[in-house]
Structures are given as structure tokens and as C-alpha cells.
């Protein structure tokens, strides 16, 4: 077997920085080629050092999902941030105001209450805050449902002291997005209201963003590491997956069953969308194996289809189904690069769910 483990102890997430660099440069080159601003989402890696690397390569700023992530990034010196999540209420307004005194901030809204929260923060900070209107384009989660709703909210933003209308934002960049963008552009133009930025997100469709007229900014996160989901959706190959989990086979109760020391607290309980692939991750060196069940600390592996099977004590590497969740489960990640010493790095913004 050619695989040489990096981790002295397991389970451990391990990142190949050479693959990370290739992934970052590929996405930046795509955006540069098509005149798109790249604003990467840091929810995948949660590390200021990687965020700064993305910006050094040409990203215009970063995207955070929660205020807690933005607080970590601003403390590390990153000062151009979009928080792509509706913030509601006075507690969020106070925290947003504290950040607006230190950085250039944008937030999103799909309600008058979210706009009022941003306005309260801008007044308290005595600093402008940009507000994007989120519209729903197939994900069936947050976002207004029509261009007319977006227009009414945009007018409210434009009339609010301290707020700047930043543009429109959506996720995912699916088939519905193009029609909604075109309709919104027509409606806003008729009202004489410019749309400064149209921001779209999602790694699986990232390399098709230029095919949607009107999109000017791309928000992507998973592309930095990739995972089994992005591979299954054709957005990456296994060789583009920069992060894997190193786990140890701790038991072989039967010939067809192995137990690894990576359970739901290591791999998460996420499956691939629509059951496209079986199990809770791909064992890279035993692709016929199925991680069939997870307890908190146990991974139960079905080896019945394997011609070659791992032994007790063997270290195996696993490509996660959904890498963003996996990263958030770990305090540290082992960073590797061929020819350089391995370095254990903290995941600074992990657990920042508020």
C-alpha cells in the first residue's frame, strides 16, 4: 500500500496544502477570466490564514455565515466581509455595530426587520453598512420569492440612514436564478434603481456562473478542500480533495466488518444528496468498503464487497461526504505539503454558530 499516514494519533483531519493551492488558483483564474469578483466563503475552512491566502490570490473579500465567524476574521485583520445570513434583533445589532467600527461590512436581508436591525447597527456604529437582498432560487430556504418583493426592500434600504443598497444575493445558482435575475434587472431599471452587485453562491455550479447573465460576484466555500459531494456532482475529482480523515481500524469482529475510531463526532452524520453514494465517507484505499453506520465514536464498516481488507491497527484515509461540517467538528487540522514539515493548525472559528 502506497499510503503513508501523517497523523501520529487518530482520528485526525489532514490537509494537503499543495492541493489547496491548486484549488484556490483554479477558482481565482476562472473568476478572473470571466470578470467575476470572488468572495470566498470561509465556513468551510474557518481559518484566518487561509482566508488571507485567498485574498492574496485575488479575492475581493470574504463571506462569513455568522457574526462569530466575522469577529474571528476581523480580529485577524480581514476588513472586507459579507455576512450572508439575516441578522435579527437588538443583540445582533449591537454585535454588528461593534464590527462595523472596524471593517467594511455587508449583510443580507429578506425582511423589513432584518433591514431595521442593520440600520440600528449602522446608527450605533456611525458607519455605513451595505445590505443585500437575498432572493430564493431553488434552495427553499431564506430569500424573497419575487423581484417585486426585492424592489420594495431595496427602496427601504436606499431610504434608510446609514445603509447602502449592495445588490442582490442568492444560493444556489440553479436554473431558477437566471430567470429571477433577468426579471429583477428589468424591474429595477424601470424604477431607476441600480443593482451594484449580483452575488451567487455554491461550489457545485461555480464553474457555470458565467453562463448566468447578470452575475457579478461568486461566493464559494467547499472548493478549497472539496469533498465526496462535490466529486459526485461533477465539480471536482478525488484528486482535488485536499482534506481527508485519518482513522485507525480498532476492531475486526468478523471478516466482513471493521470498526474505525471515527464516528459521528468525526465524520458527521451527513449523507450524500439523494443517496448518490453509500455510507458516511469514502475510504480512499478501499473504495468498495462502505462506512455503513456511525455511533458517536465508532464507524462500522461493511467490507463484504472488498477483495482486499484493512487489518486491525491499520490507518485508513477517508474523504468526507460534507467537509464543511467535518471541519467544524475539530479543534485542529494537520497541514501537510510535500517536502515540508507537517504543522498542526487551530480551526479558529469552529463552533461559532451565533
Amino acid at each position: 500500500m502506497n499510503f503513508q499516514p501523517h497523523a501520529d494519533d487518530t482520528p485526525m483531519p489532514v490537509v494537503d496544502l499543495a492541493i489547496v493551492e491548486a484549488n484556490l488558483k483554479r477558482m481565482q483564474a476562472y473568476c478572473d477570466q470571466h470578470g467575476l469578483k470572488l468572495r470566498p466563503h470561509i465556513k468551510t475552512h474557518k481559518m484566518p490564514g487561509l482566508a488571507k491566502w485567498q485574498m492574496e490570490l485575488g479575492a475581493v473579500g470574504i463571506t462569513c455565515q455568522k457574526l462569530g465567524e466575522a469577529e474571528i476574521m476581523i480580529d485577524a485583520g480581514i476588513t472586507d466581509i459579507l455576512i450572508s445570513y439575516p441578522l435579527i434583533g437588538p443583540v445582533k445589532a449591537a454585535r454588528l455595530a461593534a464590527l462595523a467600527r472596524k471593517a467594511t461590512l455587508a449583510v443580507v436581508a429578506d425582511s423589513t426587520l432584518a433591514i431595521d436591525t442593520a440600520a440600528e447597527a449602522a446608527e450605533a456604529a456611525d458607519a455605513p453598512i451595505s445590505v443585500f437582498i437575498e432572493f430564493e432560487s431553488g434552495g427553499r430556504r431564506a430569500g424573497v420569492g419575487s423581484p417585486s418583493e426585492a424592489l420594495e426592500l431595496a427602496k427601504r434600504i436606499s431610504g434608510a440612514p446609514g445603509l447602502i443598497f449592495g445588490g442582490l444575493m442568492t444560493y444556489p445558482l440553479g436554473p431558477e436564478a437566471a430567470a429571477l435575475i433577468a426579471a429583477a434587472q428589468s424591474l429595477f431599471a424601470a424604477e431607476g434603481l441600480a443593482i451594484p452587485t449580483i452575488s451567487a453562491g455554491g461550489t457545485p455550479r461555480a464553474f457555470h456562473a458565467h453562463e448566468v447573465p447578470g452575475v457579478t460576484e461568486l461566493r464559494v466555500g467547499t472548493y478549497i478542500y472539496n469533498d465526496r459531494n462535490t466529486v459526485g456532482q461533477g465539480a471536482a475529482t478525488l484528486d482535488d480533495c485536499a482534506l481527508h480523515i485519518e482513522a485507525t481500524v480498532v476492531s475486526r469482529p468478523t471478516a466482513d466488518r471493521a470498526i474505525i475510531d471515527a464516528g459521528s463526532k468525526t465524520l458527521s452524520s451527513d449523507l450524500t444528496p439523494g443517496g448518490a453514494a453509500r455510507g458516511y465517507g469514502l475510504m480512499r484505499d478501499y473504495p468498495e468498503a462502505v462506512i455503513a453506520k456511525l455511533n458517536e465514536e465508532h464507524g462500522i464498516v461493511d467490507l463484504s464487497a472488498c477483495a482486499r481488507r484493512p487489518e486491525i491497527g491499520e490507518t485508513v484515509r477517508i474523504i468526507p461526504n460534507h467537509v464543511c461540517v467535518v471541519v467544524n467538528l475539530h479543534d485542529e487540522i494537520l497541514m501537510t505539503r510535500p517536502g515540508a514539515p507537517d504543522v498542526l493548525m487551530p480551526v479558529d472559528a469552529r463552533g461559532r454558530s451565533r
Side-chain angles (χ1 to χ4, degrees):
M1 190 172 67
N2 295 326
F3 167 56
Q4 295 296 319
H6 285 272
D8 294 327
D9 200 3
T10 62
M12 174 68 72
V14 178
V15 163
D16 186 325
L17 289 172
I19 299 176
V20 166
E21 183 172 16
N23 291 342
L24 296 184
K25 288 183 174 179
R26 184 184 307 116
M27 188 64 72
Q28 188 64 58
Y30 166 78
C31 289
D32 292 345
Q33 177 186 355
H34 295 287
L36 297 169
K37 295 180 291 183
L38 178 60
R39 184 176 290 276
H41 213 313
I42 62 85
K43 71 181 180 65
T44 299
H45 58 74
K46 295 180 175 285
M47 292 184 173
L50 293 182
K52 290 179 179 179
W53 194 6
Q54 289 169 309
M55 294 184 68
E56 287 166 5
L57 289 172
V60 298
I62 63 170
T63 304
C64 296
Q65 194 73 345
K66 293 294 182 75
L67 280 164
E69 293 178 343
E71 288 162 350
I72 292 292
M73 296 295 152
I74 289 172
D75 285 346
I78 296 170
T79 59
D80 191 327
I81 297 176
L82 166 65
I83 301 172
S84 59
Y85 198 90
L87 304 175
I88 302 293
V91 173
K92 301 297 187 190
R95 290 174 66 194
L96 181 60
L99 296 182
R101 298 184 186 104
K102 305 175 187 177
T104 300
L105 287 186
V107 298
V108 304
D110 64 357
S111 69
T112 57
L113 187 53
I115 293 169
D116 292 345
T117 299
E120 181 181 341
E123 181 180 11
D126 192 24
I129 296 174
S130 293
V131 182
F132 283 70
I133 301 301
E134 182 172 7
F135 67 91
E136 206 286 308
S137 62
R140 302 297 181 261
R141 53 184 202 188
V144 299
S146 69
S148 59
E149 292 176 81
L151 177 63
E152 291 308 307
L153 292 180
K155 289 178 178 178
R156 187 181 183 98
I157 294 165
S158 298
L163 298 188
I164 300 167
F165 174 51
L168 303 178
M169 189 204 86
T170 193
Y171 173 90
L173 188 58
E176 297 178 33
L180 286 167
I181 289 171
Q185 287 178 310
S186 177
L187 184 60
F188 276 61
E191 292 286 328
L193 185 59
I195 306 175
T197 298
I198 297 179
S199 181
T203 294
R205 294 282 302 169
F207 292 106
H208 297 276
H210 68 285
E211 299 170 3
V212 180
V215 171
T216 60
E217 180 179 271
L218 186 60
R219 307 178 328 278
V220 281
T222 309
Y223 82 102
I224 189 171
Y225 292 151
N226 289 306
D227 55 21
R228 201 180 185 198
N229 287 344
T230 56
V231 171
Q233 295 180 72
T237 69
L238 284 175
D239 289 337
D240 298 324
C241 292
L243 183 146
H244 65 265
I245 295 292
E246 293 190 4
T248 299
V249 178
V250 296
S251 178
R252 281 287 308 277
T254 71
D256 288 345
R257 186 167 79 249
I259 309 300
I260 56 175
D261 61 355
S264 62
K265 290 181 178 178
T266 298
L267 293 171
S268 93
S269 56
D270 281 16
L271 295 168
T272 57
R278 296 176 62 199
Y280 294 91
L282 174 68
M283 292 177 61
R284 188 70 191 270
D285 302 294
Y286 299 93
E288 297 86 6
V290 177
I291 304 173
K293 182 180 178 182
L294 297 180
N295 297 132
E296 290 181 57
E297 309 293 354
H298 297 74
I300 295 89
V301 185
D302 179 358
L303 304 174
S304 59
C306 298
R308 185 174 61 86
R309 303 176 182 198
E311 301 296 332
I312 294 177
E314 185 174 329
T315 302
V316 295
R317 53 179 175 162
I318 302 163
I319 304 295
N321 288 344
H322 187 184
V323 72
C324 307
V325 180
V326 168
V327 168
N328 195 50
L329 293 171
H330 295 270
D331 291 322
E332 298 173 313
I333 290 179
L334 189 64
M335 297 293 182
T336 70
R337 186 187 281 272
D342 297 345
V343 179
L344 198 60
M345 296 291 293
V347 184
D348 301 85
R350 75 162 298 270
R352 297 284 176 142
S353 60
R354 295 194 299 274

